[in-house]
Amino acid sequence: MTEIPGTIAGATIEGPAGPARGYWSNVLRRLRRDRVAVVCIVILALILLAAIFAPLVAPGDPFRTSMLRRLRPIGTPGFPLGTDELGRDMLTRLVFGGRLSLFTGIVPVINAFVIGTFLGVFAGFSGGRTNMAIMRTIDVFYAFPSVLLAIAISGALGAGIFNSIVSLTIVFVPPIARVAESVTTQVRNLDFVDAARASGAGAFTIIRVHILGNVLGPVFVYATGLVSVSMILASGLSFLGLGTKPPEAEWGLMLNTLRTAIYAQPVVAALPGAMIFTVSICFNLFSDGLRSAMDVKL
Amino acid sequence: MTPLVRIEDLRVRFRTAERTVHAVNGVDLSLMPGEVVGLLGESGSGKSVTLKALLRLLPEARTTMSGRMAVAGQDVMALGGSALRAYRGSVVSMIFQEPMLAFDPVFTIGEQIAEAVRRHENADRTAARARALEMLDRVRIPSAKRRLDAYPHEMSGGMRQRAMIALALACRPKLLLADEPTTALDATVQIQILLLLRELQKEFGMGVIFVTHDIGVAVEVSDRLAVMYAGRIVERGSARDLIRAAAHPYPRGLLASTVHGAMRGRRLDAIPGAPPDLAKVPDGCAFAPRCRFADAECVSRRPDIVRIDAGHEAECRRLDAVAASAEG
């Protein structure tokens, strides 16, 4: 239990104390040994970099249409991934589409991470009626299926990227707050919180140091897993016309506009879906790897 | 000399939705500076609750406390806010039973000790870390410099308890509360920790209240012993008084039920029955239902405290009968 498999090779001979390394360098070392996680990180990094530097990476203009070269197959000279229903270069649009898709995937989760952690820790630490009030309110949101809730809020706020981010944030606050609340409730009854109080720590110090120190890890891992859900929901909103508006490139929206071509060019039409699938599965596997790498307590 | 700790008629009740538990029912205890008192008793006798009450660690919403507690001239009951935070850790600190749980798993030992130091003394990061290192050396942790950056799970149970002691003593408290600090350790490590505690206690001149259910351990570390039963101290005296000449039937029963000195192949003399339900305080002696000397009055009226020797007292009406049975 005390000896992590990874430490044997790097352990110094002096004493059984184990290497005195920082927590994060230990996490990193364990993560590096997880081949699946490494592959996922590499794929995600490539996609992210391509999206950030889209104008440099993409071969063409994402908005240049041509009625003459509509729905070309994969491997057409000049258009390695074919063209869409308006003759725009698929590769270019996929690279540019990554910007919005990743943005709408990650930003709501970051927002929800901050708000949800705050609410959950506050509720968990206060306990009693405050906890009841916050958590039961959150349960109301939690009771709706996430897709329905996102559609309902987006529908009420109107289409647009900003509104879809707001609606997705609202969707993700409840699950994150619940994780934060349950970990907080567990932690605040442990001896080390009493020990900290016994050595004179006030409520603020206990929350800042001991509660957050223990809550952030699990919540972060959970939130990483939510990025894939967020991307899928954001794509779904775009697909329904509630998120990004044409002619903007976004994977969900592309999937929507290309669905008419599903018989003519099935492979090209499926490409945006494949991107969504790849990125979300990579986030999920990475979050799994992170979970086991961060578990000091095992 | 004025006593370091003076507890008078401490009563603690816990309320839950279903019932009220009378955990401590009138404890009087005083402690001189530099003295070690062992609080002895079985689970649920109120010994840990008494300790936590001294630090005001009991959950306030569900606890009712009454009585008087003074530590180093401060009225513990009246403390609040920043005065309470200053009191905890620098006047009184505590060692917990399970050192694995008493350390935060996500911070290193050094960080946790340094944090406590910085809280009470106007020390910067480097100075606090230096103090943490000094404390780890003080509690004889080998290669202390490296352990400073170790996480609690990277240490053995004995090491962790040493580190816990280092944490508790980092701000030089006048009073140390030890809540069964050796219960979770194996026998060989127990002795080392006890010797260390005793040594540090002399060195720092602290008062120590040592809670345990192990008579052997209590005798090893304590100058005086107090035996608790059902939230009251039933007998108190020097360690020698209690071991040689326990007067109250409960401590006598405890001594008879230890393995030391028992004949091989004979059954141990256990105390019959079980501790009382603390949902209500009995009118008479709480031990009466399990006591073979008890009579009707024992059950109906609380016995007075009988002084046996200087500093040796027991709360029992039938001391003569108990003593007579030992001779016969």
Side-chain angles (χ1 to χ4, degrees), chain B residues 81-327:
Chain B
S82 61
L84 183 59
R85 288 200 296 277
Y87 162 82
R88 290 168 174 166
S90 64
V91 179
V92 184
S93 73
M94 186 158 172
I95 309 177
F96 289 78
Q97 179 175 357
E98 185 40 88
M100 182 73 228
L101 302 175
F103 276 112
D104 190 331
V106 301
F107 295 99
T108 64
I109 300 288
E111 283 167 349
Q112 297 189 45
I113 298 176
E115 191 205 316
V117 172
R118 277 156 56 85
R119 201 174 293 142
H120 290 291
E121 289 161 36
N122 219 351
D124 61 12
R125 234 164 248 284
T126 340
R129 197 177 150 87
R131 169 73 70 79
L133 180 61
E134 183 207 324
M135 289 313 299
L136 289 190
D137 264 331
R138 268 282 182 54
V139 298
R140 312 272 142 60
I141 288 184
S143 53
K145 216 173 177 111
R146 284 156 43 76
R147 308 286 177 150
L148 213 49
D149 298 315
Y151 286 89
H153 71 274
E154 294 173 329
M155 299 174 108
S156 67
M159 281 300 159
R160 257 180 249 139
Q161 196 56 286
R162 281 169 193 268
M164 187 75 229
I165 295 172
L167 174 63
L169 301 187
C171 295
R172 308 280 143 85
K174 298 193 180 78
L175 173 67
L176 179 68
L177 307 176
D179 188 4
E180 307 203 25
T182 59
T183 309
L185 306 174
D186 62 65
T188 47
V189 182
Q190 258 188 32
I191 288 295
Q192 295 173 8
I193 297 288
L194 290 177
L195 291 175
L196 176 72
L197 265 177
R198 189 76 199 182
E199 200 184 306
L200 290 170
Q201 179 265 327
K202 291 222 172 77
E203 202 179 314
F204 286 56
M206 307 175 286
V208 177
I209 300 181
F210 194 102
V211 157
T212 180
H213 58 246
D214 185 331
I215 297 181
V217 166
V219 171
E220 197 74 47
V221 295
S222 312
D223 302 315
R224 287 197 297 131
L225 287 178
V227 180
M228 284 191 79
Y229 187 78
R232 284 187 74 82
I233 293 179
V234 293
E235 182 166 359
R236 70 180 87 215
S238 68
R240 194 190 160 85
D241 286 342
L242 266 144
I243 297 304
R244 295 268 174 88
H248 191 284
Y250 177 66
R252 287 177 81 99
L254 279 185
L255 284 164
S257 59
T258 52
V259 187
H260 309 285
M263 296 281 279
R264 186 183 264 280
R266 264 190 56 201
R267 288 181 67 92
L268 288 171
D269 290 323
I271 304 173
D277 179 12
L278 291 171
K280 77 181 254 300
V281 195
D283 302 321
C285 170
F287 188 63
R290 298 171 77 184
C291 179
R292 61 194 170 100
F293 303 102
D295 57 21
E297 206 181 331
C298 283
V299 181
S300 61
R301 200 172 65 85
R302 185 183 298 288
D304 297 323
I305 294 169
V306 180
R307 188 164 167 275
I308 300 158
D309 255 325
H312 186 188
E313 300 172 335
E315 196 179 75
C316 181
R317 288 181 52 253
R318 306 272 299 158
L319 287 176
D320 298 340
V322 179
S325 88
E327 280 153 22

Side-chain angles (χ1 to χ4, degrees), chain A residues 7-202:
Chain A
T7 56
I8 297 161
T12 39
I13 298 145
E14 182 212 335
R21 289 206 188 90
Y23 173 69
W24 288 108
S25 72
N26 266 321
V27 169
L28 211 68
R29 210 156 32 78
R30 267 172 278 169
L31 207 56
R32 269 212 301 268
R33 291 176 175 262
D34 186 344
R35 224 171 263 160
V36 179
V38 170
V39 170
C40 288
I41 293 169
V42 170
I43 295 176
L44 286 177
L46 286 178
I47 293 177
L48 198 68
L49 286 174
I52 292 169
F53 300 107
L56 304 176
V57 177
D61 178 345
F63 302 115
R64 207 182 56 170
T65 59
S66 165
M67 281 303 144
L68 296 174
R69 46 177 166 80
R70 295 168 58 212
L71 292 172
R72 294 281 167 85
I74 287 176
T76 310
F79 303 98
L81 292 179
T83 56
D84 70 1
E85 79 287 352
L86 295 174
R88 296 172 292 199
D89 179 27
M90 274 304 279
L91 178 60
T92 307
R93 280 185 70 78
L94 283 176
V95 170
F96 273 91
R99 293 182 140 185
L100 271 179
S101 282
L102 289 170
F103 186 73
T104 50
I106 294 169
V107 171
V109 175
I110 293 175
N111 292 343
F113 179 73
V114 174
I115 301 170
T117 307
F118 174 79
L119 280 177
V121 168
F122 184 68
F125 195 76
S126 314
R129 293 215 178 97
T130 319
N131 184 330
M132 275 289 264
I134 295 176
M135 293 320 285
R136 294 300 82 80
T137 314
I138 276 170
D139 281 349
V140 172
F141 286 93
Y142 206 64
F144 294 102
S146 53
V147 184
L148 260 169
L149 187 60
I151 292 172
I153 300 170
S154 266
L157 293 174
I161 298 169
F162 179 78
N163 285 346
S164 72
I165 284 176
V166 170
S167 75
L168 289 175
T169 303
I170 295 174
V171 168
F172 292 127
V173 166
I176 288 179
R178 278 178 76 127
V179 173
E181 190 260 354
S182 78
V183 181
T184 307
T185 314
Q186 263 172 39
V187 168
R188 91 180 175 127
N189 291 322
L190 291 180
D191 271 2
F192 64 78
V193 172
D194 262 352
R197 287 209 292 149
S199 72

